[in-house]
Amino acid sequence: MPLQGLNIRAMAAATPRTGRSQAARPRSGAEIRAAFLEFYEQRGHKRMASASLVPDDPTVLLTIAGMLPFKPVFLGQQQRPAPRATSSQKCIRTNDIENVGRTARHHTFFEMLGNFSFGDYFKEQAIQWAWELSTEVFGLSSKNLVVSVFRDDDEAEAIWRELVGVNPKRIIRMDEADNFWASGPTGPCGPCSEIYYDFRPELGDDGIDLEDDSRFIEFYNLVFMQYNRDAQGTLTPLANRNIDTGMGLERMAQILQGVPNNYETDLIYPLIETAAALAGVDYRALDAKGQTSLKVIGDHARAITQLIGDGVTASNLGRGYILRRLLRRVVRHGRLLGIDKPFLSAMGEASIALMQEAYPQLVERRELILAELAREETRFLETLERGETLLANILANKPRLISGAQAFELYDTYGFPLELTEEIAEEHGLTVDTAGFEAAMEEQRQRAKAAAVSIDLTLQEAIDQVAATAEATAFKGYEALEHPSCVLALVVNGEPATQASAGDSVQLVLDSTPFYGEGGGQVGDRGVLLGGGDQTSVDAGVIVSIEGVSRNRSVFVHSGQIERGSVTVGDLLTARVDASCRRRAQANHTATHLLQAALKQVVDPGIGQAGSLVDFDRLRFDFHCSRAVTPAELEQIEALINGWISEAHGLVVQEMAIEAAKAAGALAMFGEKYADVVRVVDVPGVSMELCGGTHVANTAEIGVFKIVSESGVAAGIRRIEAVAGPAVLAYLKEREAVVKPLAERFKAQPGEIVERVAQLADELKATQKALAAARSELAAAKASALAAQAEAVGAAADGAPFQLLVARLDGVDGAGLQGAAQGLADQLGEGAAVVLGGLPDPVDLGKVILVAAFGKAVIAAGPKAGAFIGGVAKACGGGGGGRPNLAQAGGRDGGALDGALEQAREQLHTALSGAPGAGQG
RNA sequence: GGGGAAUUAGCUCAGCUGGUAGAGCGCUGCGAUCGCACCGCAGAGGUCAGGGGUUCGAGUCCCCUAUUCUCCA
């Protein structure tokens, strides 16, 4: 049952701040979002859907700002989608994670409302609309608003003052740190202007301090991108000036709903209620610490649900690690609140329910999200349990305090949170050396940082630079395998260059290319570039072998080596793809499509792709499936695919609008981003997928398809590896190379090998056992015969004589000899001093084994087996040791054995006759 | 990308500074019982992840590989 107490609707309705005509004002999060987008849509902006939290840009882990999806547009690397755009973009930031729940408005997951101008309208228009939206649509009173402008931006100030009519005292100038935006050390940048909400306008207009976040909250940031900064730091005006703005949805919700912090808005509060109900607590009745925990859970629950929804899975690196950390924080705070059973699925369900209207794909991925949450939670509980055991071990030693090193080891190696260590230590009346912990943590940070610098960035950097400036490469490889191409840029050994000569390892950018660039799971083509004189034959003056082609943004990078001649930027070369490699890749790629279709047909229509690799000699297909595919199903799949192959379906490949493709039923990958016009690969009646890869013209070209293995790769994800086309032959050859020699070796038909090997293994095991038994029996027999040779020497403390036995016993291994010695010693009683030596191996006459077994009385009298046998072994060119009662040694000088044994006998004889106990009794 | 750990019986794990691989649970058989659960006794079950090295001798020390966990970036 949901908690009583806060009722958002009631609270918001009771809020008088925004004044007039409450009825029409947006209030709920959804209304605010809709109002913002509508406002700008009405003003000519193209409404853009929120991009994935996983960005295209490989240099950032997550979408951290509303403008990130438009960064390539601002940087001039991509065509603008429209002159103006508006979006509500989901974002994740974790740099201030410790503040979440403690302050009023720190989030990991948040939504950024934005309006963007790409070389279209600028400062004046942006400012006016921002003001109009804030006051007219959201109904904020100008008395409650304060704006900031950049220190030097007189233009902006003039607009605010004169065009908008803001009280000059409520226009505050700020420095670079707050009001100047740049995406990096170089590139487009410009001043900002922000709008703040003033919760206490009655304090007046004098001495306004916008840093005071108990009074002010910044809710709208306008960036005026008007300069380009070069490497020297010089600013030059941009020809096309841009506008980039952001309004925090949660912040506006807080203002309009009149709640004291973002967490109590309708965007998050229902999750707090869910968590409170699970913990059986009342949010309003809790102390600050408890409320913080609920806020953290509410905030993080949204973040982890959305992250998994965008295809992130928990792992120990990159964004997967961010997910894991967030998720574990939720569990920890849940425990702090007293939730002692798994509850993440419940939080996930509540998060999906809360956000499904704005993000319908959460519903599509519901099962996956819940499964991932449950899986990770279980894993974390295991981690905690292990950590608790380890900590209990530490505490069992009754230490005075838990050292920083111990706490750090628990954390670093076993993932056990410091807070929990502290908590448990406290229960035992101990403290934790947190300073030592921090020191160890800092050391670890420095180590990681130092290592990060040493990465060789140069190669990648050079290519990045080249790719950023080069025109998109025209791909001709669908139609042709050979094409004349002009060299646009060169990188030699990681350095940009204008020329490269024989022997150089190079990366080339061409204006157009028939080479497929690695992407969509398919490997890049191999082949050659020919130039100079006769460009049609391998006798060409210039030969560059291409070993791989990758894509950097829309530029294809050909990597290879110059075999002959030299290449200069501007050269016209003939690019020729290795047709045989390409054919193999094509066969594997089309086969991958057939495999997916077959899986859907045989196993589950709901199967979705989770990853794919198309290489020249194999293919790998990962897919979402909760159970293993049975051998019978695999056979069925193979048969189905080989049937489609023999039916010789002609492929139909065409480009069409994305909507048309989806309407036609083409399979698109979840979370994948597609352009407006997509390529559809259709095997009529069998499979239809959006795909940019290269394919056979007819399924018959594939020839044959064979599954090599089926395995699990992660919970809920299975992997099938297979081969198709010419690669099958290579696979068969490989197998034959194993089977043939085996068949010959075992003189068996290939079909009989398995049984034969199993039989041999059983026989071998039985033989080994029998041999070991026989050996120990033999050793025992030989040993008991030796018992009679024992020599009574001196007298022990109890008056009985010591029983000295030094003998040679060959052909017995170490364990046997030890067993024999122990047996003899037991037989001879507490006064037994048994030393056995022998050559275990009739072939290797150098190897010596020595064993000593001493009874209690002997040890009491002085001689210890370990030290004694070591001395004896020295005479045989070896060493040894062991416990006082039983020891083993070895040596390499078999010839010296008899002498050594004789010496040992004498030494023991002397030691035992003169033993302290000898005279007594 | 850089650290720290783990991998031993079907499962959960002990195994100290190198010296004959163990426990609990599970399994099999026997006993006890009218029968079951419980109990008692006995037994089977191991390439100590794989490969190299050091050593007379490696589960144990060193290096490499694989897989998994974990922290930092």
Side-chain angles (χ1 to χ4, degrees):
Chain A
M1 194 187 96
L3 285 183
Q4 297 209 326
L6 278 199
N7 181 317
I8 296 296
R9 204 168 288 259
M11 289 195 51
T15 306
R17 272 195 200 109
T18 51
R20 47 204 167 150
S21 67
Q22 287 289 324
R25 301 278 182 238
R27 188 175 298 126
S28 72
E31 285 164 0
I32 294 169
R33 186 164 43 220
F36 184 98
L37 295 173
E38 256 163 50
F39 180 86
Y40 283 104
E41 204 169 26
Q42 282 163 6
R43 284 156 184 79
H45 291 64
K46 180 173 182 187
R47 187 190 277 219
M48 309 287 286
S50 176
S52 167
L53 285 169
V54 178
D56 281 332
D57 188 340
T59 62
V60 277
L61 275 183
L62 294 165
T63 300
I64 51 166
M67 60 77 70
L68 195 78
F70 301 113
K71 202 169 147 192
V73 179
F74 288 130
L75 293 176
Q77 293 163 351
Q78 211 176 71
Q79 282 268 307
R80 60 184 189 180
R84 309 168 178 185
T86 182
S87 69
S88 171
Q89 175 63 46
K90 50 187 173 179
C91 304
I92 290 223
R93 279 190 203 177
T94 55
N95 36 356
D96 277 335
I97 195 168
E98 289 306 324
N99 283 329
V100 172
R102 296 183 204 280
T103 69
R105 57 189 76 110
H106 272 95
H107 293 296
T108 53
F109 175 86
F110 58 94
E111 288 173 83
M112 196 55 90
L113 302 164
N115 53 291
F116 306 93
S117 158
F118 310 112
D120 191 35
Y121 66 85
F122 199 56
K123 212 176 279 188
E124 199 178 298
Q125 184 65 80
I127 287 176
Q128 284 183 307
W129 277 339
W131 188 262
E132 183 186 347
L133 176 70
S134 304
T135 54
E136 304 293 325
V137 178
F138 293 134
L140 305 179
S141 159
S142 61
K143 289 203 292 290
N144 287 95
L145 299 179
V146 180
V147 302
S148 72
V149 296
F150 178 55
R151 198 183 51 213
D152 301 335
D153 195 357
D154 298 333
E155 188 190 0
E157 197 201 332
I159 297 169
W160 282 116
R161 203 177 52 225
E162 286 154 29
L163 274 173
V164 179
V166 176
N167 175 354
K169 283 190 161 178
R170 294 182 79 85
I171 301 175
I172 313 294
R173 297 221 174 201
M174 300 193 53
D175 288 335
E176 275 96 346
D178 294 295
N179 277 46
F180 196 88
W181 177 90
S183 78
T186 61
C189 55
C192 318
S193 183
E194 300 162 323
I195 310 181
Y196 286 72
Y197 188 80
D198 180 359
F199 288 106
R200 306 185 62 191
E202 69 277 11
L203 292 177
D205 303 336
D206 294 317
I208 282 179
D209 175 15
L210 291 177
E211 301 284 316
D212 175 6
D213 60 6
S214 64
R215 177 173 172 188
F216 298 105
I217 177 172
E218 174 215 331
F219 67 87
Y220 208 167
N221 184 8
L222 317 176
V223 177
F224 313 122
M225 232 178 276
Q226 61 190 85
Y227 302 115
N228 186 61
R229 182 150 55 193
D230 64 22
Q232 283 73 44
T234 317
L235 299 178
T236 49
L238 277 176
N240 290 318
R241 299 182 299 181
N242 304 311
I243 290 290
D244 156 31
T245 78
M247 173 187 285
L249 174 63
E250 290 80 6
R251 293 185 176 196
M252 184 50 78
Q254 185 205 333
I255 295 168
L256 294 183
Q257 292 170 18
V259 290
N261 57 63
N262 290 0
Y263 310 101
E264 293 180 31
T265 65
D266 70 334
L267 292 165
I268 300 179
Y269 195 71
L271 298 177
I272 290 183
E273 283 189 314
T274 305
L278 286 165
V281 298
D282 177 354
Y283 172 77
R284 306 197 69 188
L286 281 176
D287 59 6
K289 202 175 149 219
Q291 289 195 341
T292 297
S293 286
L294 281 175
K295 287 173 185 167
V296 170
I297 294 174
D299 172 84
H300 291 9
R302 298 203 310 167
I304 57 184
T305 305
Q306 287 281 5
L307 274 173
I308 301 170
D310 275 341
V312 178
T313 52
S315 73
N316 41 14
L317 25 99
R319 49 184 82 94
Y321 183 58
I322 291 177
L323 170 61
R324 173 169 287 172
R325 214 157 50 170
L326 288 170
L327 200 144
R328 294 188 167 190
R329 281 171 57 94
V330 176
V331 176
R332 231 172 61 215
H333 283 281
R335 280 167 66 108
L336 284 177
L337 289 166
I339 302 178
D340 55 1
K341 51 180 190 287
F343 69 107
L344 281 196
S345 295
M347 291 312 303
E349 293 241 38
S351 303
I352 294 170
L354 185 64
M355 299 187 287
Q356 62 183 358
E357 213 178 308
Y359 300 97
Q361 75 270 28
L362 290 177
V363 182
E364 290 169 31
R365 287 214 120 184
R366 188 173 167 279
E367 298 307 319
L368 245 145
I369 293 170
L370 298 182
E372 175 73 5
L373 286 173
R375 192 172 72 97
E376 261 305 291
E377 182 171 33
T378 312
R379 188 179 290 175
F380 185 46
L381 292 177
E382 279 167 13
T383 300
L384 288 181
E385 215 167 288
R386 191 176 44 172
E388 278 163 9
T389 319
L390 289 166
L391 184 52
N393 285 343
I394 292 174
L395 290 167
N397 291 329
K398 307 266 175 219
R400 282 175 301 119
L401 87 168
I402 307 287
S403 74
Q406 285 173 322
F408 186 70
E409 191 194 352
L410 280 171
Y411 179 69
D412 181 53
T413 304
Y414 300 102
F416 196 68
L418 176 65
E419 293 88 332
L420 278 178
T421 303
E422 288 183 300
E423 203 177 291
I424 294 172
E426 203 174 308
E427 284 167 16
H428 288 74
L430 296 177
T431 54
V432 178
D433 174 15
T434 46
F437 178 90
E438 285 303 329
M441 180 73 100
E442 188 52 38
E443 208 175 299
Q444 148 114 304
R445 269 195 205 107
Q446 291 309 325
R447 239 193 336 254
K449 213 170 261 177
V453 180
S454 66
I455 306 169
D456 182 15
L457 289 171
T458 48
L459 191 80
Q460 204 49 44
E461 255 175 22
I463 273 301
D464 267 349
Q465 277 173 16
V466 167
T469 50
E471 298 260 328
T473 310
F475 179 58
K476 303 292 180 189
Y478 291 133
E479 312 90 48
L481 291 179
E482 187 168 312
H483 191 266
S485 303
C486 180
V487 179
L488 292 185
L490 265 175
V491 171
V492 180
N493 299 323
E495 299 281 345
T498 51
Q499 200 185 11
S501 44
D504 284 343
S505 126
V506 292
Q507 295 175 290
L508 300 107
V509 175
L510 307 173
D511 64 335
S512 60
T513 183
F515 282 82
Y516 184 79
E518 182 171 345
Q522 185 177 335
V523 292
D525 275 327
R526 293 181 191 167
V528 287
L529 304 179
L530 304 173
D534 181 9
Q535 300 200 351
T536 55
S537 81
V538 286
D539 296 328
V542 177
I543 301 179
V544 186
S545 66
I546 298 299
E547 280 123 37
V549 180
S550 61
R551 293 186 219 182
N552 193 315
R553 300 197 175 87
S554 50
V555 175
F556 286 45
V557 178
H558 305 69
S559 302
Q561 198 158 25
I562 301 195
E563 305 288 346
R564 186 191 302 167
S566 64
V567 176
T568 308
V569 170
D571 279 359
L572 191 65
L573 303 172
T574 299
R576 181 186 290 169
V577 173
D578 181 326
S580 145
C581 280
R582 168 65 84 77
R583 269 198 303 274
R584 280 150 55 196
Q586 290 186 160
N588 279 327
H589 202 155
T590 307
T592 303
H593 285 209
L594 297 184
L595 173 58
Q596 184 168 6
L599 276 165
K600 282 174 186 291
Q601 199 164 319
V602 174
V603 182
D604 179 2
I607 275 178
Q609 179 172 342
S612 160
L613 172 75
V614 176
D615 207 338
F616 300 120
D617 48 12
R618 71 204 166 106
L619 67 93
R620 195 172 72 199
F621 186 73
D622 296 347
F623 53 100
H624 295 284
C625 183
S626 52
R627 63 173 178 85
V629 181
T630 65
E633 284 170 331
L634 290 176
E635 265 182 44
Q636 212 179 325
I637 289 166
E638 256 177 26
L640 198 54
I641 292 173
N642 283 308
W644 287 330
I645 290 170
S646 61
E647 282 161 23
H649 296 272
L651 269 71
V652 182
V653 179
Q654 53 185 333
E655 297 201 336
M656 59 173 84
I658 177 108
E659 289 81 12
K662 282 187 174 167
L667 207 55
M669 253 188 83
F670 183 86
E672 196 77 355
K673 281 152 287 278
Y674 294 98
D676 291 341
V677 175
V678 294
R679 199 159 166 272
V680 176
V681 176
D682 184 16
V683 184
V686 177
S687 143
M688 194 197 287
E689 286 190 48
L690 301 188
C691 179
T694 62
H695 289 269
V696 296
N698 187 296
T699 58
E701 285 174 44
I702 300 172
V704 61
F705 173 86
K706 173 87 189 93
I707 291 176
V708 175
S709 75
E710 194 272 352
S711 59
V713 55
I717 298 180
R718 307 296 303 178
R719 167 173 294 174
I720 284 183
E721 290 178 276
V723 286
V728 176
L729 197 61
Y731 173 72
L732 285 178
K733 273 189 178 156
E734 206 178 283
R735 285 300 158 111
E736 200 180 48
V738 176
V739 172
K740 250 189 169 166
L742 276 177
E744 277 170 27
R745 179 78 183 71
F746 290 118
K747 309 252 183 297
Q749 291 301 308
E752 297 166 355
I753 293 176
V754 173
E755 198 189 334
R756 193 65 196 280
V757 169
Q759 189 190 335
L760 281 171
D762 286 346
E763 267 173 32
L764 179 64
K765 209 167 187 180
T767 309
Q768 279 173 340
K769 269 196 153 171
L771 182 62
R775 269 193 180 144
S776 70
E777 210 170 294
L778 180 67
K782 281 182 178 172
S784 60
L786 289 172
Q789 295 177 20
E791 181 184 355
V793 179
D798 63 358
F802 292 109
Q803 298 290 332
L804 176 58
L805 174 58
V806 178
R808 179 161 170 167
L809 195 54
D810 287 342
V812 179
D813 67 352
L817 204 63
Q818 214 164 116
Q822 184 68 64
L824 282 168
D826 288 347
Q827 200 177 328
L828 296 173
E830 292 192 352
V834 181
V835 176
L836 299 179
L839 307 182
D841 190 342
V843 179
D844 179 3
L845 292 178
K847 194 172 167 69
V848 176
I849 290 184
L850 291 159
V851 170
F854 291 177
K856 272 185 199 161
V858 176
I859 299 164
K864 307 277 186 291
F868 184 79
I869 203 71
V872 179
K874 260 191 193 152
C876 302
R883 295 189 298 265
N885 63 321
L886 186 69
Q888 185 183 8
R892 283 260 131 233
D893 184 4
L897 178 59
D898 285 330
L901 284 175
E902 181 51 31
Q903 206 181 329
R905 200 194 64 79
E906 278 165 24
Q907 276 173 18
L908 273 179
H909 196 280
T910 312
L912 295 176
S913 12
Q920 294 171 16

